[in-house]
Amino acid sequence: MRRQVAGSLIACVFAVMMAGCSATPQKPVVDVAAIKTSIHDMNQRYMAAVAAKDVDALLTQYAADARLLPSNGPRADGPDAIRKAWTDFLNRPGLSLASTSGDVTVSEAGDMAIDVGSYQMSMAGPGGQPIQDVGKY
């Protein structure tokens, strides 16, 4: 009797394990359009904050452990350093910055997105000479 119970128990455990292995995982439901809209809205807030020279609004776009990698400058780690970097940048005379999002790719799981775009920047350089920069991100 014990052998029958043990055999039945082993058969049940094996059947449950096999059923779990053969189940097809379900893909998550991802609203790609909503994610792309959210990124577009975030970009709009970012550029509005730059135009208004609103460092506080810019800082809301960063996580507490963020790092800013400005061109031709030192890395800024954390909110205080990012605040200083943005304050210094936004205080440049004649600053103008515009960006255009070109392509947003969303991962299949919806947990990562990549925004590829371009920017145009101008400012007054040393002696008031205009500086123009066109680039990509």
Side-chain angles (χ1 to χ4, degrees):
M1 179 80 144
R2 279 188 168 174
R3 284 188 180 190
Q4 285 180 328
V5 171
S8 296
L9 183 58
I10 290 172
C12 286
V13 169
F14 183 73
V16 169
M17 286 177 25
M18 291 308 293
C21 291
S22 65
T24 304
Q26 297 295 317
K27 287 186 179 182
V29 176
V30 177
D31 188 345
V32 173
I35 293 170
K36 288 183 176 186
T37 297
S38 177
I39 291 171
H40 172 76
D41 294 346
M42 188 183 321
N43 285 341
Q44 295 297 317
R45 288 190 306 272
Y46 195 85
M47 292 313 302
V50 169
K53 298 186 177 193
D54 186 346
V55 176
D56 290 328
L58 283 166
L59 287 175
T60 67
Q61 303 291 315
Y62 292 90
D65 61 348
R67 294 178 177 181
L68 179 65
L69 308 172
S71 297
N72 303 309
R75 185 178 78 198
D77 295 337
D80 293 337
I82 292 171
R83 175 182 294 282
K84 182 179 180 338
W86 271 112
T87 299
D88 292 349
F89 179 74
L90 293 175
N91 283 330
R92 294 177 188 237
L95 176 67
S96 173
L97 178 64
S99 70
T100 303
S101 179
D103 183 33
V104 176
T105 303
V106 179
S107 69
E108 188 175 303
D111 58 351
M112 182 176 66
I114 300 169
D115 179 12
V116 177
S118 61
Y119 69 88
Q120 304 80 39
M121 180 178 64
S122 61
M123 68 180 81
Q129 300 273 11
I131 296 174
Q132 300 283 328
D133 185 24
V134 176
K136 58 198 166 298
Y137 64 90

